[in-house]
């Protein structure tokens, strides 16, 4: 039982025309996504569509459907409003969602690849904005953050494939304390307290203040700590897809890796029935806000049984359980040991000398820069320059984004070389169905009518009905399974003729 | 990276008593003055306008 499982990260990016704050964000987002589509897929003869056949955003993991009439319009994601909606050669989905460009990484099988293909998304968005700026003659900038500091938030969502047989209540019980406290190392840092900054100050998380419920289906309003959306994009009898919406967008590649890895190992422990101690919080939503506001680690959280624990104590419990879990299950996977060991090291440093993590942890890097300015220029927390630094930290341009500048100066650790990232921009992971999807797009771009996580739809000509290839198995369609198929299929019609079940089912 | 590389003394932690937050990192990690000078060159010139203009529509 390891950190390895099917996973992915989807991010909505902040977008702006700095010269014109009234610019329509849906239009800007469309321009950005289309500019990229036109560059990487110039032979596209038609507008590729997303195949919504199996999307069900109102399906609830607790076992009931919300009626469409009861849903807020922002919850209806399965309508194509004619906005840009692409499937990229690297297997990612790239589209306009709720007035933001969104990059949903291809499915990967481990946290290292999750962070790599997420970083590839950063480069894709940055490249897109540059192309769109040239095309429109207006500067368009993009930000990997989660709030505008004026009451609005947009998400960075993680997805994990989880065994269906695990009772959903176990996920709620054991994930909630973990999620409420995970920001101590995974937070991106934020200037200001409250959704629309009612109080000056600094907090650990971009997202925490926007959470108002413990469990629920929504992602745009009354955001819940545990999201119950249940679209497995896999065999629904075997799997659910846990949709995690509490996280911040990370510029730190290492923290992105550890965020995904620690969550994956906690899920493995829950699946194995290994976690027994229930740290039920008295008020998880309030605790989530308090933990984020407590960057000096001075408070304790109240538990339902009347006792109190600090965020670091709760995290340490999970980390120590993971150490024992790996030992007792005889796990030999080096990545799993690395995740759990680094998690422990970081928790120790947070306890003893948080600033020693300045090269690694987003919120500490950001705080260090902010405190540098505060000390040098005697700034108070409500100074616009500090708010500007907060926003610019997440600017994705290499010469303007503070995190990117720090990374180039060696002040923020990197996990990947730019060559690795460039490879992930144009190539899919080889060990999931993203390989099949991405390779179809790369090889047969003018014949891919639509695609989705679960399908690729081919258009073989005006007199032939569209052909839908189902890809229900995330571990099917790998490079190994399809090498010969693609080698022997020079056109989409050959692919269809040569396609066998074993190509897409593992 | 080893545990030891991250085990740092606390001697630099007292420098900013006036502000009482966590201090900036020790100079061995980050040459703060040089770094701030470098960041000065990158920062938007009119911070107030820039912050005011950064308005997003709601998302997920």
């Amino acid at each position: 039982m390891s950190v390895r499982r099917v996973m992915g990260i989807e991010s909505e990016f902040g977008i702006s025309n700095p010269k014109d704050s009234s610019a329509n964000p849906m239009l800007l987002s469309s321009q950005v996504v289309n500019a990229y589509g036109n560059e990487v897929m110039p032979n596209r003869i038609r507008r590729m569509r997303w195949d919504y056949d199996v999307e069900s955003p109102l399906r609830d993991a607790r076992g009931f459907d919300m009626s469409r009439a009861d849903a807020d319009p922002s919850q209806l994601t399965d309508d194509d409003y004619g906005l840009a909606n692409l499937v990229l050669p690297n297997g990612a989905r790239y589209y306009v969602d709720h007035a933001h460009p969104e990059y949903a990484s291809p499915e990967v099988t481990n946290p290292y690849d999750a962070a790599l293909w997420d970083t590839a998304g950063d480069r894709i968005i940055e490249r897109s904005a540059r192309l769109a700026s040239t095309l429109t003659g207006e500067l368009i900038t993009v930000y990997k953050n989660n709030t505008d500091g004026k009451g609005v938030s947009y998400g960075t969502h993680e997805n994990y494939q989880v065994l269906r047989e695990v009772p959903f209540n176990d996920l709620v019980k054991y994930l909630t304390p973990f999620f409420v406290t995970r920001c101590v190392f995974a937070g991106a840092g934020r200037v200001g307290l409250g959704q629309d900054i009612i109080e000056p100050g600094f907090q650990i998380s971009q997202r925490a203040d926007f959470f108002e419920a413990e469990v629920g289906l929504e992602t745009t309003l009354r955001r819940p700590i545990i999201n119950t959306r249940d679209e497995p994009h896999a065999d629904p009898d075997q799997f659910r897809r846990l949709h995690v919406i509490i996280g911040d967008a990370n510029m730190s590649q290492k923290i992105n890796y550890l965020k995904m890895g620690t969550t994956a190992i906690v899920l493995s422990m829950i699946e194995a029935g290994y976690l027994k101690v229930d740290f039920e919080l008295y008020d998880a939503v309030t605790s989530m806000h308090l933990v984020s506001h407590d960057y000096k680690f001075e408070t304790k959280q109240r538990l339902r049984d009347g006792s109190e624990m600090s965020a670091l104590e709760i995290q340490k419990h999970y980390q120590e359980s993971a150490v024992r879990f790996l030992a007792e299950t005889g796990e030999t996977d080096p990545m799993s040991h690395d995740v759990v060991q680094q998690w422990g090291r970081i928790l120790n440093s947070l306890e003893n000398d948080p600033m020693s993590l300045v090269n690694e942890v987003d919120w500490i890097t950001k705080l260090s820069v902010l405190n540098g300015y505060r000390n040098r220029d005697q700034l108070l927390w409500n100074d616009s320059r500090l708010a500007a630094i907060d926003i610019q930290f997440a600017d994705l341009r290499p010469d303007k984004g503070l995190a990117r500048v720090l990374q180039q100066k060696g002040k923020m650790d990197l996990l990947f070389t730019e060559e690795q990232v460039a490879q992930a921009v144009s190539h899919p992971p080889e060990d999931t169905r993203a390989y099949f999807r991405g390779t179809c797009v790369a090889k047969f771009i003018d014949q891919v009518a639509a695609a989705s996580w679960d399908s690729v739809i081919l258009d073989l000509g005006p007199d032939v009905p569209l052909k839908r290839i189902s890809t229900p198995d995330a571990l099917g369609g790998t490079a190994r399974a399809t090498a010969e198929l693609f080698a022997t299929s020079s056109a989409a019609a050959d692919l269809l003729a040569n396609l066998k079940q074993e190509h897409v089912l593992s | 990276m080893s545990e030891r590389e991250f085990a740092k003394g606390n001697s630099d932690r007292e420098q900013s008593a006036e502000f009482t937050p966590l201090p900036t990192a020790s100079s061995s990690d980050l040459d703060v003055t040089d770094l701030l000078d470098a960041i000065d060159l990158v920062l938007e010139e009119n911070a107030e306008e820039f912050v005011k203009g950064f308005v997003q529509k709601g998302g997920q």
Side-chain angles (χ1 to χ4, degrees):
Chain A
M1 300 293 273
S2 72
V3 296
R4 293 174 187 273
R5 68 176 59 234
V6 175
M7 58 177 73
I9 303 173
E10 44 185 286
S11 307
E12 296 178 328
F13 291 80
I15 186 161
S16 147
N17 174 344
K19 298 270 183 306
D20 177 12
S21 59
S22 68
N24 180 336
M26 290 170 106
L27 179 63
L28 293 180
S29 301
S30 247
Q31 287 169 333
V32 159
V33 174
N34 280 326
Y36 189 78
N38 291 338
E39 180 181 66
V40 297
M41 298 182 281
N43 296 323
R44 235 167 5 131
I45 53 167
R46 71 172 61 71
R47 209 167 60 80
M48 191 197 301
R49 302 178 69 83
W50 186 254
D51 175 19
Y52 285 109
D53 237 29
V54 287
E55 295 254 324
S56 46
L58 304 181
R59 176 74 39 82
D60 192 302
R62 292 169 295 189
F64 48 85
D65 283 4
M66 184 187 254
S67 92
R68 294 182 76 89
D70 291 342
D72 185 89
S74 63
Q75 282 177 271
L76 301 175
T77 60
D78 58 348
D79 276 327
D80 190 334
Y81 292 109
L83 294 169
N85 205 334
L86 304 173
V87 180
L88 300 181
N90 76 350
R93 183 186 183 192
Y94 187 29
Y95 67 119
V96 179
D97 192 16
H98 299 290
H100 299 272
E102 172 157 343
Y103 170 86
S105 80
E107 305 91 325
V108 298
T109 61
N110 64 79
Y112 183 85
D113 284 350
L116 176 57
W117 267 273
D118 184 66
T119 308
D122 299 354
R123 299 298 177 271
I124 286 168
I125 299 269
E126 186 242 329
R127 172 80 187 150
S128 306
R130 209 147 22 102
L131 290 167
S133 298
T134 307
L135 281 170
T136 61
E138 298 270 342
L139 179 64
I140 302 173
T141 50
V142 281
Y143 301 85
K144 194 184 189 185
N145 59 9
N146 301 104
T147 179
D148 66 354
K150 297 168 190 70
V152 157
S153 183
Y154 32 100
T156 301
H157 298 171
E158 304 143 49
N159 296 297
Y160 303 89
Q161 196 169 71
V162 177
L163 292 177
R164 172 69 64 183
E165 68 198 32
V166 177
F168 197 73
N169 279 342
D170 280 6
L171 292 173
V172 174
K173 183 158 64 170
Y174 295 116
L175 282 173
T176 301
F178 174 70
F179 282 162
V180 165
T181 54
R182 192 183 69 168
C183 70
V184 295
F185 66 89
R190 179 180 174 209
V191 173
L193 308 180
Q195 293 189 3
D196 48 2
I197 309 192
I198 47 171
E199 204 183 315
F202 178 84
Q203 62 175 312
I204 293 173
S205 164
Q206 290 261 307
R207 279 285 267 181
D209 283 349
F210 293 90
F211 283 76
E212 299 170 336
E214 297 197 7
V215 182
L217 182 55
E218 292 84 2
T219 52
T220 51
L221 36 121
R222 299 186 304 280
R223 291 186 183 87
I225 296 168
I226 304 289
N227 184 267
T228 54
R229 184 165 172 173
D230 189 8
E231 290 174 284
H233 298 308
D235 175 2
D237 293 331
Q238 223 186 326
F239 300 111
R240 69 169 76 248
R241 173 177 61 115
L242 183 74
H243 191 53
V244 177
I245 68 170
I246 54 114
D248 288 359
N250 293 110
M251 291 302 297
S252 167
Q253 297 171 356
K254 189 188 284 181
I255 290 300
N256 216 4
Y257 158 68
L258 291 176
K259 173 177 78 178
M260 300 301 288
T262 56
T263 305
I265 197 74
V266 169
L267 288 171
S268 289
M269 291 194 285
I270 295 171
E271 282 177 342
Y274 189 78
L275 295 176
K276 301 289 183 210
V277 188
D278 174 11
F279 299 113
E280 192 185 352
L281 292 158
Y282 178 76
D283 178 349
V285 172
T286 302
S287 278
M288 186 156 179
H289 303 165
L290 291 176
V291 167
S292 177
H293 296 183
D294 181 30
Y295 68 90
K296 297 175 195 169
F297 301 120
E298 292 166 339
T299 67
K300 296 222 176 214
Q301 303 310 312
R302 192 170 161 205
L303 269 51
R304 184 71 72 183
D305 68 7
S307 63
E308 291 189 324
M309 284 179 86
S310 73
L312 288 176
E313 284 166 350
I314 292 172
Q315 280 291 315
K316 277 190 161 177
H317 159 79
Y318 281 94
Q319 191 272 340
E320 285 160 9
S321 299
V323 170
R324 289 194 302 273
F325 179 66
L326 291 184
E328 287 171 25
T329 55
E331 182 58 60
T332 56
D333 173 41
M335 193 186 293
S336 300
H337 285 276
D338 180 60
V339 164
V340 171
Q341 184 260 322
Q342 293 215 54
W343 185 14
R345 172 182 62 76
I346 284 176
L347 293 176
N348 277 332
S349 296
L350 287 171
E351 194 170 34
N352 299 314
D353 183 9
M355 294 320 279
S356 68
L357 297 167
V358 67
N359 286 8
E360 298 180 83
V361 173
D362 300 78
W363 72 263
I364 295 176
T365 311
K366 187 183 280 183
L367 180 63
S368 185
V369 172
L370 292 166
N371 280 346
Y373 272 83
R374 297 181 69 216
N375 291 336
R376 189 189 69 180
D377 301 339
Q378 305 285 298
L379 305 182
L380 298 173
W381 275 121
N382 58 5
D383 194 287
S384 304
R385 276 169 288 179
L386 300 180
I389 289 168
D390 189 2
I391 297 167
Q392 261 194 274
F393 191 83
D395 187 326
L396 287 171
R397 290 173 291 177
D399 55 333
K400 278 295 207 179
L402 297 187
R404 294 212 61 194
V405 168
L406 292 171
Q407 284 169 338
Q408 290 164 80
K409 287 182 178 296
K411 305 299 185 189
M412 268 180 96
D413 296 349
L414 295 169
L415 270 194
F416 313 115
T417 64
E418 276 306 305
E419 289 73 28
Q420 272 179 293
V421 176
Q423 180 76 8
V425 163
S426 50
H427 292 81
E430 296 196 343
D431 54 357
T432 67
R433 65 183 167 199
Y435 183 83
F436 180 77
R437 181 188 316 121
T439 308
C440 280
V441 168
K443 273 191 81 144
F444 313 120
I445 183 58
D446 53 352
Q447 290 176 298
V448 177
S452 72
W453 307 119
D454 317 84
S455 69
V456 172
I457 296 182
L458 299 175
D459 182 350
L460 300 181
D463 306 321
V464 188
L466 294 177
K467 303 285 186 192
R468 187 174 194 277
I469 301 170
S470 216
T471 55
D473 180 357
L475 296 176
T478 62
R480 184 179 293 177
T482 61
E484 204 190 325
L485 174 69
F486 283 115
T488 55
S489 305
S490 53
D494 305 332
L495 182 88
L496 263 179
N498 296 334
L499 189 72
K500 296 197 184 71
Q501 213 172 49
E502 64 254 33
H503 293 132
V504 290
L505 297 181
S506 64
Chain B
M1 258 161 277
S2 76
E3 197 84 26
R4 199 167 295 118
E5 283 177 68
F6 290 86
K8 293 242 165 29
N10 285 343
S11 55
D12 296 317
R13 301 193 61 189
E14 308 306 323
Q15 65 186 25
S16 56
E18 199 182 332
F19 287 101
T20 63
L22 291 165
T24 52
S26 68
S27 54
S28 60
D29 282 331
L30 203 82
D31 192 326
V32 178
T33 313
D34 282 1
L35 192 65
L36 294 189
D37 289 345
I39 292 175
D40 281 338
L41 300 174
V42 173
L43 277 187
E44 296 292 340
E45 278 173 19
N46 190 336
E48 198 175 340
E49 281 298 305
F50 171 68
V51 171
K52 211 181 279 176
F54 186 73
V55 180
Q56 299 296 305
K57 288 259 191 278
Q60 299 215 30

